[in-house]
């Protein structure tokens, strides 16, 4: 009862739409070209390490990390560098990209050999060299995440397998198809970072994945069934539900002794330690009301969205929106020549009818946004303060705590675009009052 | 490229619920009570309700038309106000008074303050209080069920509560006594209230804490709690009027405070005042302090240390 009065944090009952959950992953054939963006992660963009006309192989570094919080970018094909161009990143900013035309031989770079890992340092170096970034969507360089300053205080590894976004089933497929790699990855992280305990959090709508992981879980590894309430997979929500700890703001999970990794990321760690093949492919769910053949596809990073859609039978009608990621937090793709990025876990396409949101009407102060917010924020008050230009109130309301999960917008019966308004409010806070 | 894709900020889907559906459910929840009032007071109840609802919708339409605003009558909020207002009138009230009430509710309280979502108090409550003050005799001329629409001024059970025995509980539950349309039959109000809670239109917090406070205080004051709970406008007020979104707090903590406040004010008026409108005044007062309750009962935000704790560090 006291917890209930403190913060209701009900979340939202979003539709599941997981119709691809039983579809085994299929490998997409080589695309006609790949476009490797130098900004596929949080942090400094990578710098092109190749020039026009250079010969590259599968696993060759084509982008060198631009700093500590950055990541290398590797080619997923053997072929020739066609050009270095500027593309528009999903956030609208220009980004350098390397275009490679495959020679269809798929020769592997001789540098690709399983890494020699003996201690923490060599483990972190290996993860850094693999080009791994948070594959749940954030794209935070994993090597940085695995180098917390207070390593001896970390006692729990949380594996995020909530997959709370509608439609997406790529994590579910990962649990079922890459079970051994997941276990290898978890054990490696636990061993080298000396973390005694691991909790794998999976939403209850993936019973097969839960059963499978329970059957293989070894000592110190617990599988936790999470309720189907969006956003279970939001880092802070997941940590609270799995460990009962609240990540302070501002702060990081490591402040409460936790490291969180997405299941696909940890599976990749296991695979990389065994093969030495850097991150060059990604499992994606391709779905939406106008995709002819929804699929789970293993696709080479850099493949243009258009070719991926063609592989899935194309569209049944003119697309309205095409998204990177799920419908709650995904970004719109401006045109189909855009490439697949490391941190994509789905490409969803919707008809014009499904894309158009209903018109916003007056706020009726029902309080659903407040009671649904997983972080206990009051969306209606934040938006009102933003409209009034009241920065002081925005600070008092902790508008900057918002993680843009979209729950408030989803539950609003008046269909008000609360989450985008809060995103603008955060910018206003940073600018000290200017819209 | 001729194939232009839509680019908007996330999220890209919304829930199936809407303002219209919520208001529709409130209307549906009021239907059993309307039926009960027709059975108890005769067809005049239905006519009075139709006149009040019609007037509310008409005033909303005319005002928005004249002001060049979008006509919001499809959201059913004026229908809800009309139903609640009618339920606060005795079946014998002249129609023109009901229309005056509708004007006060819709034009003065709702639209002049900015329309749906901007009213500072519950329109139906203010209209009821205005009518009670302005047309006191007609508003408290409660017809007795046996006499149907032939007005016979009588006391509401509250006024004679001291003379009621335990055998009268059933009468109170079924509403076979004098009163306004919507506050006599406790059972149908409960049915509607439970429906609203079950469909998550309202949270049980305000009704439960309101009724509990009334029960506890009536024991303290040496009054019969069952009579206090079942008579007057308490049931209708607790489930349908105090839970109005716009004029009540949004957090559970805020609703708890509001419910206790309502109970205390209602019982103080009933014990020490001499008016029949205890519930109405309690709700109006709660509406007025809602902004203050709201800013002082915000939820604890995840990972944000309370000021005291932060200072201690």
């Amino acid at each position: 009862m006291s917890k209930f009065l403190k913060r209701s944090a009900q979340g939202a009952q979003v539709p599941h739409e997981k119709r691809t959950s039983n579809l085994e992953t299929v490998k997409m054939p080589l695309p006609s070209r790949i476009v490797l963006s130098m900004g596929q992660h949080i942090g400094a963009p990578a710098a092109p390490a190749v020039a026009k006309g250079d010969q590259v192989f599968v696993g060759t570094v084509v982008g060198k990390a631009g700093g500590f919080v950055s990541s290398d970018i590797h080619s997923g094909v053997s072929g020739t560098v066609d050009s270095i161009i500027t593309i528009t990143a999903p956030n609208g900013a220009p980004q350098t990209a390397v275009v490679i035309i495959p020679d269809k031989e798929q020769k592997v770079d001789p540098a690709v050999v399983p890494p020699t890992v003996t201690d923490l340092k060599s483990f972190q170096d290996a993860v850094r060299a693999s080009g791994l970034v948070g594959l749940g969507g954030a794209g935070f360089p994993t090597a940085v995440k695995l180098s917390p300053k207070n390593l001896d205080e970390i006692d729990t590894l949380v594996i995020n397998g909530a997959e709370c976004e509608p439609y997406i089933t790529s994590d579910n497929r990962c649990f079922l198809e890459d079970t051994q790699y997941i276990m290898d990855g978890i054990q490696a992280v636990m061993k080298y970072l000396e973390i005694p305990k691991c909790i794998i959090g999976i939403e209850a709508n993936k019973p097969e994945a839960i059963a499978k992981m329970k059957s293989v879980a070894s000592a110190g590894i617990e599988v936790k069934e999470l309720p189907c309430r969006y956003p279970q997979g939001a880092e802070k929500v997941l940590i609270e539900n799995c460990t009962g700890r609240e990540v302070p703001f501002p702060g990081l999970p490591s402040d409460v002794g936790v490291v969180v990794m997405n299941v696909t990321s940890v599976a990749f760690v296991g695979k990389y330690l065994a093969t030495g093949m850097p991150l060059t492919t990604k499992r994606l769910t391709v779905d939406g009301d106008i995709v002819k053949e929804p699929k789970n596809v293993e696709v080479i990073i850099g493949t243009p969205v258009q070719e991926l859609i063609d592989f899935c039978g194309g569209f049944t009608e003119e697309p309205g929106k095409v998204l990177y990621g799920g419908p709650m937090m995904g970004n719109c793709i401006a045109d189909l020549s855009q490439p697949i990025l490391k941190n994509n876990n789905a490409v969803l396409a919707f008809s014009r009818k499904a894309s158009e949101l209903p018109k916003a009407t007056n706020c009726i102060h029902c309080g659903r946004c407040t009671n649904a917010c997983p972080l206990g924020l009051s969306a209606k008050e934040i938006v009102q303060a933003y409209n009034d230009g009241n920065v002081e109130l925005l600070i008092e309301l902790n508008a900057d705590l918002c993680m843009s999960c979209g729950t408030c917008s989803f539950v609003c019966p008046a269909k008000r675009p609360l989450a985008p308004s809060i995103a603008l409010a955060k910018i206003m806070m940073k600018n000290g009052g200017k819209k | 490229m001729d194939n232009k894709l839509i680019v908007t900020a996330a999220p890209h889907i919304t829930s199936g619920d809407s303002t219209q559906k919520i208001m529709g459910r409130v209307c549906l929840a009021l239907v059993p009570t309307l039926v009960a009032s027709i059975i108890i007071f005769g067809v005049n109840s239905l006519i009075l309700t139709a006149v009040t609802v019609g007037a509310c919708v008409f005033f909303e339409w005319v005002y928005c038309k004249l002001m060049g605003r979008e006509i919001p009558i499809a959201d059913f909020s004026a229908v809800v106000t009309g139903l609640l207002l009618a339920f606060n009138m005795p079946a014998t009230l002249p129609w023109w008074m009901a229309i005056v009430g509708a004007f006060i509710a819709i034009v003065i309280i709702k639209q002049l303050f900015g329309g749906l979502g901007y009213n500072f108090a519950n329109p139906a409550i203010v209209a009821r209080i205005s009518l009670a003050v302005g047309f006191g005799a007609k508003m408290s001329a409660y017809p007795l069920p046996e006499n149907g629409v032939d007005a016979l001024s009588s006391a509401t059970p509250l006024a004679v509560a001291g003379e009621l025995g335990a055998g009268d509980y059933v009468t109170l539950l079924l509403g076979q006594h004098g009163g306004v349309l919507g506050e006599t039959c406790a059972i149908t109000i409960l049915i509607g209230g439970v429906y609203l809670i079950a469909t998550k239109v309202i949270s049980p917090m305000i009704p439960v804490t309101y009724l509990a406070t009334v029960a506890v205080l009536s024991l303290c004051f040496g009054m019969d709690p069952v009579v206090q709970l079942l008579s007057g406008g308490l049931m209708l007020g607790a489930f349908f009027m105090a839970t109005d979104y716009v004029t009540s707090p949004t957090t559970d903590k805020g609703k708890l405070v509001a419910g206790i406040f309502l109970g205390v004010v209602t019982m103080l008026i009933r014990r020490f005042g001499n008016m029949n409108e205890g519930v109405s005044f309690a709700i109006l007062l709660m509406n007025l302090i809602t902004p203050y309750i709201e800013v002082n009962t915000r939820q604890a935000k995840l990972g944000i240390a309370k000021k005291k704790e932060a200072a201690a560090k």
Side-chain angles (χ1 to χ4, degrees):
Chain A
M1 187 70 177
S2 68
K3 164 115 194 343
F4 170 65
L5 282 180
K6 183 175 151 200
R7 176 171 58 243
S8 67
Q10 289 163 356
Q13 250 172 330
V14 298
H16 294 310
E17 307 282 355
K18 307 267 190 191
R19 54 183 171 165
T20 54
S21 62
N22 292 323
L23 299 180
E24 219 166 286
T25 311
V26 287
K27 241 186 157 134
M28 180 178 157
L30 278 183
S32 65
R33 58 200 268 161
I34 62 169
V35 181
L36 290 169
S37 166
M38 293 293 112
Q40 305 191 31
H41 47 260
I42 288 179
V50 290
K52 187 177 170 177
D54 281 3
Q55 170 77 28
V56 296
F57 302 100
V58 179
T60 305
V61 176
V62 296
K64 204 74 200 126
F68 179 68
V69 183
S70 185
S71 176
D72 286 350
I73 313 266
H74 304 83
S75 173
V77 298
S78 65
T80 320
V81 176
D82 176 70
S83 54
I84 292 173
I85 60 170
T86 302
I87 60 167
T88 308
N91 65 3
Q95 188 58 261
T96 308
V98 175
V99 182
I100 300 166
I101 306 289
D103 57 15
K104 294 186 178 134
E105 290 177 23
Q106 288 302 85
K107 263 192 227 142
V108 177
D109 194 302
V112 172
V113 284
T116 319
V117 174
T118 50
D119 58 359
L120 176 64
K121 174 81 178 39
S122 54
F123 178 64
Q124 288 165 338
D125 287 346
V127 173
R128 179 171 296 278
S130 74
L132 178 61
V133 301
L135 299 180
F140 188 77
T142 307
V144 181
K145 188 180 258 187
L146 295 182
S147 315
K149 289 195 184 84
N150 56 340
L151 187 59
D152 46 340
E153 285 167 38
I154 307 291
D155 60 5
T156 311
L157 169 68
V158 173
I159 300 300
N160 189 349
E163 199 162 57
C164 52
E165 279 264 14
Y167 293 95
I168 309 179
T169 60
S170 55
D171 283 351
N172 182 48
R173 293 318 303 173
C174 181
F175 277 121
L176 300 178
E177 295 170 21
D178 298 342
T179 321
Q180 194 49 51
Y181 284 140
I182 296 172
M183 293 311 294
D184 294 346
I186 289 174
Q187 275 152 357
V189 175
M190 288 172 80
K191 180 177 165 197
Y192 295 113
L193 272 74
E194 292 172 37
I195 302 176
K197 194 174 173 205
C198 172
I199 303 171
I200 305 173
I202 308 174
E203 253 193 28
N205 62 2
K206 290 174 271 294
E208 277 184 276
I210 293 170
K212 183 111 188 201
M213 292 319 292
K214 275 189 175 158
S215 72
V216 295
S218 51
I221 302 176
E222 181 198 331
V223 179
K224 187 162 172 82
E225 189 174 318
L226 302 169
C228 293
R229 293 295 281 191
Y230 181 88
Q232 279 309 315
E235 195 167 70
K236 290 176 181 180
V237 177
L238 183 74
I239 292 173
E240 202 195 10
N241 282 348
C242 288
T243 67
R245 301 174 195 172
E246 278 191 32
V247 180
F249 178 80
L252 292 169
S254 58
D255 293 337
V256 289
V258 177
V259 165
V260 182
M261 286 182 82
N262 177 267
V263 56
T264 305
S265 302
V266 85
F268 174 78
V269 169
K271 191 174 175 183
Y272 180 73
L273 293 178
T275 63
M277 176 56 74
L279 183 63
T280 57
T281 65
K282 190 71 203 289
R283 180 189 282 111
L284 299 174
T285 300
V286 184
D287 200 351
D289 64 345
I290 56 163
V291 174
K292 212 171 254 169
E293 300 156 23
K295 280 185 171 75
N296 280 305
V297 186
E298 187 185 337
V299 58
I300 293 169
I301 291 163
T303 299
V305 172
Q306 180 70 62
E307 296 195 26
L308 175 64
I309 296 288
D310 291 343
F311 177 66
C312 295
F315 297 129
T316 53
E317 63 174 274
E318 194 87 329
K321 269 183 197 170
V322 181
L323 305 176
Y324 281 133
M328 291 300 288
M329 286 187 80
N331 284 317
C332 286
I333 300 175
D335 74 81
L336 299 177
S337 64
Q338 293 281 324
I340 295 304
L341 308 172
K342 284 179 184 177
N343 56 347
N344 292 157
N345 41 24
V347 168
L348 304 179
F350 296 98
S351 63
R352 223 151 244 285
K353 194 163 159 272
S355 302
E356 275 155 15
L357 292 173
K359 207 172 142 281
T361 54
N362 282 6
C363 171
I364 54 171
H365 303 271
C366 61
R368 290 184 186 195
C369 52
T370 309
N371 291 312
C373 178
L375 304 177
L377 296 171
S378 176
K380 75 172 175 95
E381 282 187 279
I382 293 174
V383 172
Q384 187 61 52
Y386 166 71
N387 289 339
D388 297 344
N390 189 343
V391 177
E392 241 170 75
L393 184 54
L394 286 179
I395 294 168
E396 193 188 324
L397 295 170
N398 292 103
D400 51 349
L401 176 63
C402 172
M403 57 183 175
S404 301
C405 67
T407 305
C408 48
S409 293
F410 178 84
V411 299
C412 180
K415 311 294 168 195
R416 299 176 71 78
L418 298 164
S421 297
I422 298 173
L424 294 172
K426 285 164 79 171
I427 297 171
M428 188 162 85
M429 270 175 92
K430 259 188 214 154
N431 298 344
K434 272 178 252 148
K435 280 196 183 181
Chain B
M1 261 181 77
D2 54 339
N3 179 15
K4 290 261 191 284
L5 294 172
I6 301 171
V7 175
T8 58
H12 306 286
I13 50 172
T14 65
S15 69
D17 220 344
S18 67
T19 304
Q20 191 185 30
K21 283 186 191 165
I22 289 171
M23 297 294 172
R25 276 183 228 130
V26 177
C27 294
L28 195 60
L30 287 168
V31 167
T33 304
L34 177 62
V35 172
S37 78
I38 297 169
I39 294 170
I40 298 168
F41 298 113
V43 77
N44 223 30
S45 305
L46 182 63
I47 299 171
L48 186 66
T49 305
V51 168
T52 316
V53 170
C56 282
V57 174
F58 176 75
F59 284 130
E60 178 126 311
W61 180 80
V62 168
Y63 184 89
C64 292
K65 194 90 187 157
L66 290 176
M67 291 297 129
R69 288 196 198 151
E70 218 171 308
I71 312 283
I73 53 174
D75 67 20
F76 292 139
S77 64
V79 177
V80 170
T81 303
L83 282 172
L84 288 174
L85 179 57
F87 285 8
N88 275 290
M89 297 167 173
T92 48
L93 193 78
W95 297 352
W96 69 269
M97 287 185 190
I99 294 171
V100 170
F103 179 82
I104 294 170
I106 294 296
V107 178
I108 297 181
I109 303 302
K110 188 178 175 190
Q111 289 299 342
L112 287 185
F113 284 88
L116 182 64
Y118 292 97
N119 47 296
F120 68 97
N122 188 323
I125 285 287
V126 179
R128 175 190 180 162
I129 291 173
S130 307
L131 291 181
V133 172
F135 312 111
K138 287 281 181 197
M139 277 296 279
S140 57
Y142 303 126
L144 280 174
E146 296 86 47
N147 299 319
V149 292
D150 300 324
L152 232 193
S153 193
S154 82
T156 158
L158 263 184
V160 294
E163 301 154 24
L164 284 169
D168 296 312
Y169 291 165
V170 179
T171 312
L172 285 172
L173 264 178
L174 294 175
Q176 293 290 330
H177 59 83
V180 296
L181 290 192
E183 60 184 34
T184 58
C185 185
I187 286 183
T188 55
I189 296 171
L190 268 174
I191 292 171
V194 168
Y195 168 74
L196 289 187
I197 292 168
T199 53
K200 296 199 170 142
V201 171
I202 61 169
S203 136
M205 189 59 101
I206 287 182
V208 169
T209 51
Y210 189 1
L211 298 178
T213 308
V214 165
V216 169
L217 282 182
S218 39
L219 283 174
C220 296
F221 291 158
M223 299 152 100
D224 185 340
V226 180
V227 171
Q228 292 302 322
L229 286 177
L230 295 181
S231 55
L234 184 60
M235 282 287 172
L236 185 69
F239 284 101
F240 288 95
M241 308 193 73
T243 53
D244 170 36
Y245 290 150
V246 183
T247 54
S248 65
T250 50
T251 63
D252 288 318
K253 224 192 301 180
K255 289 185 166 99
L256 179 74
V257 172
I260 294 171
F261 176 86
L262 285 166
V264 170
V265 175
T266 302
M267 285 315 288
L268 286 179
I269 294 177
R270 283 187 175 182
R271 174 69 180 79
F272 301 107
N274 57 356
M275 287 171 299
N276 294 335
E277 278 78 26
V279 170
S280 305
F281 279 109
I283 293 175
L284 178 60
L285 279 177
M286 186 274 284
N287 291 167
L288 298 181
I289 65 162
T290 286
Y292 301 95
I293 299 177
E294 190 81 335
V295 297
N296 289 301
T297 53
R298 290 196 183 113
Q299 305 185 92
K301 286 157 270 189
L302 194 145
I304 305 276
K306 283 194 199 109
K307 275 182 191 127
K308 275 183 225 156
E309 290 170 22
K313 277 180 191 170

